[in-house]
Amino acid sequence: MDKGALYLAALAAGLAAGLIGRRQWRPLLAERWRGLVLLVPAVVVSVLPFVMWQRHPERIWSGDHSLVIGLIALRSAIWILFFALNMLPAAWFPGRKAPGLTLVQKLLLLPAAFGLAGEAAVLVANQATWPVPEALLTLGMSPAFSAGIKNQAYLFLRIADQTTPLAWLGQTWYTPWLSQIGLAALPTISPAEALTAAGAFLIGIGQFLAPSLKADTPNLKQDTSK
């Protein structure tokens, strides 16, 4: 949930790589994409838990965490719906002039979709908390951070044990450099988050893997009458 900056950086890196390789600006217009209006609620729902956590933490963490769990599920559902809409055949949209994404571009959507689904699955299964292996607490983490996790000072983290569902999708990889360069709040990352970040990069570079669309030019008729 705290990897928004990482996802944006990965997407920007993919777009930059494609731009350098193709040296064309038009793919940045995203003309082949459908349902771009879904990006608005997707972004809003993605940042809403953090806004509420900063301003009204008592609401988001009260009771059974149903509010934050619902926001997490809704976030992934909107993004996956957006990806699914763009994976449908162009024949299903006869009134649309743009041909839609190519097969390669559609395949490049899958890593991000699977990553988001994995994030939602582990968070919903663990009551909106990320499981953290206890072994990671001895791998260079600051004593204050390790003690905070053990004492449950971080409401969104918990020590994983044998009964933790989907523990392998938790914050299992120690990546202190992400927090050091400001791309994550935590010095750890989930395999699902890593897959989402890789998918964001592939989506960015995939923008430049399709033939460029030609600009529409009106048919000009010459008047030969005198």
Side-chain angles (χ1 to χ4, degrees):
M1 289 176 62
D2 71 313
K3 302 300 190 301
L6 174 63
Y7 300 157
L8 287 176
L11 177 62
L15 291 173
L19 186 60
I20 293 172
R22 289 287 299 273
R23 297 183 180 180
Q24 295 180 356
W25 292 94
R26 184 154 185 173
L28 296 177
L29 299 178
E31 295 171 293
R32 292 177 174 270
W33 288 82
R34 309 184 189 109
L36 291 175
V37 67
L38 289 175
L39 293 179
V40 176
V43 172
V44 171
V45 174
S46 296
V47 302
L48 191 56
F50 297 99
V51 174
M52 295 187 66
W53 180 38
Q54 293 291 332
R55 298 189 177 185
H56 302 285
E58 71 283 356
R59 294 183 181 179
I60 200 168
W61 292 113
S62 61
D64 56 357
H65 300 176
S66 58
L67 176 58
V68 67
I69 291 174
L71 291 175
I72 291 169
L74 181 60
R75 161 188 175 258
S76 293
I78 295 175
W79 280 110
I80 293 174
L81 174 62
F82 174 64
F83 293 152
L85 182 64
N86 283 280
M87 295 182 70
L88 295 175
W92 291 21
F93 304 88
R96 181 179 169 84
K97 295 182 180 180
L101 301 183
T102 65
L103 177 60
V104 172
Q105 289 178 310
K106 292 177 181 180
L107 292 176
L108 293 180
L109 297 180
L110 294 178
F114 287 137
L116 289 169
E119 291 181 41
V122 66
L123 286 169
V124 171
N126 289 279
Q127 297 293 303
T129 59
W130 280 109
V132 180
E134 190 171 4
L136 282 185
L137 303 184
T138 61
L139 294 180
M141 288 188 180
S142 67
F145 187 77
S146 299
I149 297 177
K150 290 181 178 180
N151 297 329
Q152 297 183 345
Y154 299 99
L155 298 177
F156 48 87
L157 297 174
R158 57 175 292 190
I159 299 295
D161 54 32
Q162 295 180 351
T163 63
T164 301
L166 299 177
W168 63 277
L169 279 178
Q171 300 290 315
T172 57
W173 295 345
Y174 183 52
T175 53
W177 58 273
L178 285 178
S179 57
Q180 291 170 359
I181 62 178
L183 291 181
L186 301 176
T188 56
I189 191 172
S190 161
E193 291 176 323
L195 184 59
T196 304
F201 175 81
L202 293 175
I203 290 173
I205 202 170
Q207 280 293 102
F208 297 85
L209 298 181
S212 299
L213 298 179
K214 296 181 179 180
D216 294 333
T217 55
N219 294 325
L220 300 179
K221 296 182 179 180
Q222 295 182 351
D223 186 3
T224 58
S225 61
K226 294 183 180 180

